Amino acid sequence: MPSPEPLDATEGELLRAVDQATQLARWIQARRPSAREKSDRTPLTVADLAVQTVLAAALERVGPTDPIVAEEDSSALREQGDALAEEVLHFVRPFLGKITRRRLAQLLDLGAGTPAERYWAVDPIDGTEAFLRGGHFVVALALVERGRPTIAFLGCPTLDARGAADTLAEPDHRGLIGSLVIARRGRGTWISPLEAADFTPVRVSNVAGLHEARMLQSVAASHIDADATRRFAQAAGIERPPVLMDSQAKHAAIAMGRADLFVRIPATPDYREYVWDHAAGTLAIEEAGGQVTDLAGRPLDFGAGRRFEQNAGVVASNGLLHDAILSALGARRAP
C-alpha cells in the first residue's frame, strides 16, 4: 500500500491545521467550557467557533475559491453577544494573530457555503454533547468532489492510535495521546499519534459474523430511533452489547478495526443527516476496506445539499458484514 507521503502543499498545511485545531479543542475541553444554546436548540461551545475559525483560515489560504460547508457561522456571535466573541478571539489569536471581531465573523461565515462540484465539509467539534461531558469527539475536515469525499482528516483527541476494542467506552483522559487520521481516495487510511506525524496504515476488522460483531451506538439519541436500533440488533443476531460512542470517532474506530459496525436509523422518517457529520469518516472507513451506505444500501450522496436529501439513515461496517446488516434491515446492497 502506498505511503501517505509525500503530502502536497495543500494537504500538508491542512494536516497541520487539523492537528493544531484538535489540540486547541482538547485544551478548551480541559477547561470545562459552559454550553450555550443555538436558535435551533442544539448546544454550542466556544470550541465550536474557535476550531472552525482556525480551519476556515487555513482553507482560505489553500483554496480560496472552494466553498466551505460547515456547521457554524457568525449568527452565534450575534445571538450570544460580546462575551462569546471575546472568548473566541482569546483562543484563536495564538494561531491567527491580531484578528478583529469583524475578521472573526468573516471567517465563520465562510462556512455558510453551498455544496458544489468541489467543496470542503467541516465539523469543528463533531459530538458537542460528548465534548461537554468529556466523551468522544472529533475535528473533521473533508474535500468532496462530484458528490464523493476524496481527502479526509479526522482529529481524534480521545482515541489513541493503538488500543484494544474494549477501550472504546467513555474515555479516561489520563495518559491519552489522541490520534490524527488521514484518508485519500485510492491511497488508503493512515493514523498517527497527535503531534507525532508517524503514520501507519489501518484496516477494518475481518469479523464475518454478526453474532461476534462489535456494534457502536450513539450516546446522544436525539436524532436516532433507539427502539428500532435495538430491534435491528436482535433481528441481526448481534450478541454483544453495543458500545456507546458519539461523533465520527465511531467511523475512526471501524477504520482502525477496533469495532465492526454502526447503524443510524432516523427518529422520524423525514430526518436527514448533515454531510459534515459523515464526510471525513466515510472516506476513512472506505479507504480502510469498509463500506458506508444508507439504510437501503445506496451510496451516500454528498453533493445533493447540506443534508443527505437522497439518503435516509446510515449503515457503516467493515464491508464483510454489510449484506447481512442490510438483510436484517429489510434492505439489500444497491447495485
Side-chain angles (χ1 to χ4, degrees):
M1 180 181 294
S3 165
E5 302 293 346
L7 301 178
D8 66 27
T10 293
E11 293 166 341
E13 180 158 358
L14 293 179
L15 184 66
R16 288 188 293 273
V18 172
D19 196 333
Q20 290 178 339
T22 304
Q23 294 176 57
L24 172 60
R26 183 160 61 182
W27 186 52
I28 296 173
Q29 185 191 45
R31 281 147 182 78
R32 299 184 180 277
S34 59
R36 295 167 169 88
E37 189 174 85
K38 294 188 286 189
S39 58
D40 63 1
R41 307 193 71 176
T42 58
L44 174 77
T45 73
V46 63
D48 293 275
L49 301 179
V51 168
Q52 183 164 314
T53 301
V54 170
L55 294 179
L59 289 169
E60 187 183 50
R61 289 193 299 271
V62 302
T65 63
D66 295 325
I68 302 173
V69 179
E71 183 166 10
E72 311 300 340
D73 58 36
S74 69
S75 62
L77 301 180
R78 296 187 294 273
E79 294 169 3
Q80 303 291 336
D82 293 342
L84 176 59
E86 289 304 315
E87 193 176 2
V88 175
L89 289 169
H90 167 75
F91 284 117
V92 302
R93 278 175 176 149
F95 303 92
L96 303 180
K98 295 181 179 180
I99 180 175
T100 65
R101 181 168 174 176
R102 179 180 179 183
R103 176 62 173 154
L104 172 64
Q106 289 174 338
L107 287 171
L108 285 171
D109 282 338
L110 290 177
T114 300
E117 184 166 302
R118 173 186 164 104
Y119 72 91
W120 292 97
V122 178
D123 198 338
I125 302 292
D126 183 25
T128 301
E129 292 181 27
F131 173 89
L132 288 165
R133 68 169 185 272
H136 291 291
F137 73 94
V138 303
V139 175
L141 170 65
L143 176 65
V144 177
E145 298 180 279
R146 298 181 179 89
R148 303 173 72 204
T150 56
I151 302 172
F153 304 90
L154 285 168
C156 307
T158 58
L159 279 179
D160 280 344
R162 297 170 181 84
D166 59 3
T167 62
L168 293 179
E170 293 288 84
D172 180 349
H173 290 260
R174 293 171 296 181
L176 263 180
I177 297 173
S179 58
L180 191 62
V181 176
I182 179 171
R184 293 185 290 178
R185 190 162 294 282
R187 300 182 70 179
T189 299
W190 299 73
I191 191 167
S192 167
L194 274 174
E195 303 184 66
D198 180 19
F199 283 92
T200 56
V202 294
R203 293 291 295 175
V204 295
S205 74
N206 59 6
V207 172
L210 284 172
H211 64 283
E212 58 179 327
R214 180 170 291 264
M215 176 176 167
L216 303 176
Q217 184 173 322
S218 296
V219 179
S222 55
H223 297 304
I224 64 171
D225 189 328
D227 289 336
T229 304
R230 282 191 291 270
R231 292 194 298 271
F232 153 76
Q234 292 173 349
I238 296 174
E239 299 176 1
R240 305 173 73 173
V243 176
L244 298 180
M245 172 185 267
D246 283 326
S247 79
Q248 288 174 83
K250 296 191 294 296
H251 300 68
I254 291 174
M256 295 161 65
R258 293 169 63 183
D260 308 305
L261 77 139
F262 72 79
V263 173
R264 287 185 63 84
I265 302 173
T268 59
D270 60 345
Y271 181 77
R272 296 294 183 267
E273 305 271 345
Y274 288 100
V275 294
W276 51 73
D277 284 327
H278 297 279
T282 291
L283 186 61
I285 289 174
E286 291 177 345
E287 283 300 306
Q291 186 171 6
V292 184
T293 68
D294 66 12
L295 298 179
R298 295 184 296 260
L300 300 182
D301 181 0
F302 289 88
R306 292 172 69 87
R307 293 177 183 256
F308 292 123
E309 301 299 340
Q310 308 301 322
N311 301 108
V314 177
V315 177
S317 79
N318 66 357
L320 296 174
L321 299 170
H322 219 81
D323 284 339
I325 295 169
L326 294 174
S327 179
L329 288 166
R332 62 181 178 84
R333 192 193 300 260

